[in-house]
Amino acid sequence: MKLTLPAFVGRIAFSALAALIGAAFALPLIWFIFAPFNARAELGLAVPDPWTLANFVTVFGNSYAVQALWNSFIQATGGVILVGAAATLAAYALSRSSVPGKGAVTYILLLFSSVVSGSAAMVPIFLIISAAGIMDTHIAVILTFAGGLLPTAMFILRDFIDSIPKSYEESAMVAGASPVQAFFDVALPVIRPGIVVVVVWAFVNIWGSFLIPFILLRSSDNMPASVAIYSFYSEAGTPIVTLLAAYALIYSLPVVALYLFVSWKFGFRFFGGIKA
Amino acid sequence: MTTEPLSTPPKRKARNFALLSNRAGAAFMLPAGLLVSVFVIIPFFWVIFVSFTNRTLIGPTALNPQFVGLGNYLALFDPATFFQRGQFGFSLILTTQFVLASALIGQALLGLLLAWLIQTVPAWVKRITETFVIAAWILPEVVIGFAWFAFLDYDNGTFNMLLESIGLPPGDFLLQQPFWVIVVFNTWRGAAFSMMLFNSAFSSIPPSYFQAADVAGASSWQKFRDIGLPLIRGHIVTDLILITMWTFNTFTPFLLTNGGPSYRTELVSIYNYRVAFQDFQFGKGAAVGVIMMLINLAFALVYLRLGRKKVPKS
């Protein structure tokens, strides 16, 4: 195709503008690329000279920081297992059974899940956890996240299961499988990609979340990394920047890795919900 | 839970027989049903109940709260103090301005511009730009909070370094312009969602429409205005509702400013946190929660109405 001069100039202007906006988005993050590898990192931007891994050694020598990463792992993994299992079962039932009123159930869940956000429901959630006597425990955080994430997880999975032909399970049942066998041996392997997406989405959500653990946890032994990082820079007076930078990088890695995994495996369309 | 996406209600299909018996179906739904009841449905009703009491976190009313009727609501909407800094009305107005500026104008417009730009730029420019925009969205909120804290630091921050390098005076923006800092911050943080939604909307438009416009000699702006924009109108409405809800509920600016200085960035979510967990007034905090949920409900109903209309078409 022949490009006219104005179209050519326009194309360059578009590229320049896109690059400029991209650069503006990159600016607050550039610091993070250098500071973790700079032994004398400050809040200012500086290219490390020499590059060093000393900050990471500091992180792994700080038992509180390591414990917090481990806590994040426990809470995110526990939440994900609960969300994945409960959502798979429920979504399968919503798709494949004729339980009366399931359309209404879906609608009501959808409504409630968008009305009851963490920041609007912090008081009742605190009271429920307190009444259950599980304040300041991993299980409190796990259950709260599982409950909050489940409605959305169920919708994503139900959409996914609805798109799979019923004939798979039907033929298994014709061959003599029970409905439960048909679910575990036939349906489950087919819907696994959907479960993977839901699980990754739930993991990223819990791993990165601040408010719920901030409210429900008290002792430093149970704090996840999100709250630990925050306390490193909000309560320490002068933040230990070298530690923080390296720690933030380590803490971000799982999220970045999972993002890359999903975008490589499934094509990163809509991480949850809206498949436009 | 702040960035929970909504999905359109699933379409109903006619089925001749069910694979799962009702009993098995109910058993399958039980675990999820319990969890959702306890952590989503009960909080909704409990928050209403607590909002009519004078419950506190500590002290005698922690264990034996009394019924105070509309007392908490009257205190929140007291005309004498409503608009004062640090009061409910102030944070409500602040939040409205925040949503208007950072979601409806910032995220939506920037997302639209980006989505349109990356349709035509070379692949490598598209990829690099997308990477940073999505990174701002995907990285955990505490990390982003600290990155901006460092970015805006008065003495050493990258932003002041840039300003000085082009001959402008540096500023302590977290102290001087905290509201505009969180507006820019939230725009930066959330533009990826709008960009991706509009991007997929634009790429679902048949290329022949644009080719025909090219033959007719249309400019990029004309193509945007007369083809792109009208065809993605539905997506724009969806986007506006979702980002409004998320921005209204967001707690992330707390990580950057703590709601300060002197309440100038105290959004309703942060106000709710302060009243309930720093001033220990659970009853009043619950009343704030009820009002937040009512506002959420209004948006969710609009969204579901639109979603339901879309179903028969597709």
Side-chain angles (χ1 to χ4, degrees):
Chain A
M1 200 176 92
K2 231 176 73 183
L3 227 50
T4 57
L5 187 66
F8 181 69
V9 173
R11 182 81 60 95
I12 289 180
F14 266 38
S15 300
L17 186 55
L20 200 69
I21 298 175
F25 270 83
L27 274 177
L29 294 173
I30 291 177
W31 180 84
F32 258 119
I33 299 169
F34 295 125
F37 304 99
N38 188 344
R40 283 162 298 143
E42 287 172 354
L43 293 173
L45 188 62
V47 179
D49 183 32
W51 290 69
T52 169
L53 295 177
N55 297 337
F56 294 93
V57 177
T58 315
V59 170
F60 288 109
N62 184 319
S63 60
Y64 175 51
V66 175
Q67 177 72 35
L69 278 172
W70 177 243
N71 293 337
S72 282
F73 179 78
I74 294 174
Q75 289 162 15
T77 310
V80 156
I81 291 171
L82 212 52
V83 170
T88 305
L89 288 173
Y92 187 73
L94 282 174
S95 174
R96 298 298 205 237
S97 78
S98 55
V99 173
K102 63 180 189 182
V105 169
T106 309
Y107 187 83
I108 289 170
L109 281 185
L110 195 57
L111 192 63
F112 270 91
S113 69
S114 44
V115 169
V116 184
S117 72
S119 52
M122 51 181 125
V123 170
I125 284 174
F126 180 91
L127 291 175
I128 287 170
I129 293 299
S130 166
I134 49 172
M135 194 54 81
D136 195 21
T137 59
H138 291 313
I139 197 75
V141 176
I142 291 171
L143 289 174
T144 305
F145 273 121
L149 296 175
L150 259 171
T152 313
M154 280 160 64
F155 300 128
I156 300 172
L157 267 176
R158 183 184 169 171
D159 249 10
F160 189 83
I161 298 172
D162 276 344
S163 70
I164 294 167
K166 284 199 297 179
S167 50
Y168 291 172
E169 294 116 284
E170 278 164 2
S171 50
M173 280 161 77
V174 168
S178 74
V180 174
Q181 274 177 319
F183 169 72
F184 279 105
D185 298 342
V186 181
L188 207 51
V190 183
I191 59 182
R192 204 162 45 199
I195 301 175
V196 170
V197 169
V198 164
V199 158
V200 169
W201 167 81
F203 187 92
V204 170
N205 257 288
I206 305 177
W207 185 266
S209 227
F210 170 77
L211 182 60
I212 296 292
F214 186 57
I215 290 174
L216 298 182
L217 301 174
R218 286 285 161 270
S219 60
S220 59
D221 289 352
N222 293 327
M223 293 294 181
S226 56
V227 183
I229 293 183
Y230 175 72
S231 64
F232 281 160
Y233 74 82
S234 71
E235 286 156 24
T238 40
I240 312 157
V241 179
T242 46
L243 174 78
L244 260 164
Y247 194 45
L249 185 65
I250 297 171
Y251 168 61
S252 304
L253 279 181
V255 172
V256 174
L258 285 173
Y259 163 75
L260 292 175
F261 168 75
V262 168
S263 79
W264 159 70
K265 190 98 190 200
F266 303 98
F268 188 79
R269 277 185 308 267
F270 270 78
F271 219 11
I274 305 136
K275 284 168 277 170
Chain B
M1 281 198 290
T2 48
T3 55
E4 236 166 82
L6 291 154
S7 74
T8 50
K11 13 189 182 311
R12 244 167 264 171
K13 277 184 209 154
R15 293 205 177 82
N16 27 18
F17 89 104
L19 280 168
L20 273 184
S21 68
N22 283 357
R23 205 199 254 171
F28 273 34
M29 278 159 71
L30 190 68
L34 275 177
L35 279 166
V36 174
S37 304
V38 174
F39 290 99
V40 180
I41 312 242
I42 291 179
F44 178 78
F45 293 103
W46 202 341
V47 76
I48 298 173
F49 171 74
V50 177
S51 76
F52 294 117
T53 70
N54 63 353
R55 184 154 188 162
T56 49
L57 182 64
I58 46 175
T61 43
L63 291 175
N64 298 306
Q66 278 150 4
F67 185 75
V68 293
L70 290 172
N72 290 317
Y73 294 94
L74 293 177
L76 287 179
F77 288 100
D78 183 357
T81 56
F82 191 65
F83 293 115
Q84 280 172 19
R85 221 182 244 187
Q87 297 296 324
F88 183 60
F90 183 82
S91 79
L92 211 53
I93 288 165
L94 194 74
T95 310
T96 310
Q97 293 167 337
F98 178 68
V99 168
L100 281 174
S102 74
L104 298 185
I105 297 174
Q107 289 183 12
L109 273 187
L110 190 59
L112 193 61
L113 174 67
L114 274 166
W116 185 253
L117 283 179
I118 60 179
Q119 301 293 318
T120 48
V121 302
W124 65 272
V125 178
K126 174 184 154 105
R127 214 169 304 132
I128 293 174
T129 303
E130 268 185 335
T131 301
F132 284 111
V133 177
I134 292 175
W137 185 55
I138 201 88
L139 288 170
E141 53 187 341
V142 257
V143 171
I144 293 300
F146 185 63
W148 273 74
F149 190 72
F151 180 60
L152 294 173
D153 184 65
Y154 179 71
D155 296 318
N156 298 310
T158 312
F159 189 59
N160 276 334
M161 200 182 80
L162 273 176
L163 285 182
E164 282 175 323
S165 73
I166 54 171
L168 291 172
D172 200 343
F173 296 97
L174 278 168
L175 282 177
Q176 290 156 355
Q177 298 292 341
F179 175 73
W180 292 106
V181 165
I182 61 167
V183 163
V184 173
F185 170 76
N186 190 53
T187 302
W188 178 90
R189 168 84 169 150
F193 177 80
S194 301
M195 175 190 80
M196 290 162 65
L197 185 71
F198 293 141
N199 187 24
S200 74
F202 281 137
S203 28
S204 67
I205 298 174
S208 57
Y209 290 17
F210 294 117
Q211 283 153 7
D214 280 334
V215 171
S219 71
S220 185
W221 166 248
Q222 285 168 329
K223 283 188 282 184
F224 175 74
R225 192 191 56 195
D226 297 332
I227 305 172
L229 214 49
L231 285 175
I232 65 160
R233 206 184 299 145
H235 290 89
I236 293 177
V237 175
T238 306
D239 181 68
L240 292 183
I241 297 174
L242 288 176
I243 60 177
T244 299
M245 286 184 70
W246 294 335
T247 302
F248 177 73
N249 284 285
T250 187
F251 191 72
T252 317
F254 175 85
L255 297 167
L256 195 55
T257 64
N258 259 305
S262 60
Y263 311 119
R264 280 157 76 191
T265 58
E266 195 171 66
L267 305 169
V268 275
S269 57
I270 301 172
Y271 176 80
N272 192 4
Y273 171 78
R274 177 170 65 86
V275 167
F277 293 98
Q278 288 177 346
D279 303 345
F280 307 128
Q281 297 174 293
F282 272 20
K284 196 174 168 191
V288 177
V290 169
I291 294 161
M292 288 181 76
M293 287 189 192
L294 287 178
I295 295 171
N296 285 343
L297 182 69
F299 279 107
L301 285 174
V302 173
Y303 180 74
L304 288 179
R305 174 72 50 91
L306 290 169
R308 221 172 3 174
K309 256 191 232 154
K310 250 186 269 166
V311 172
K313 257 192 269 166
S314 59

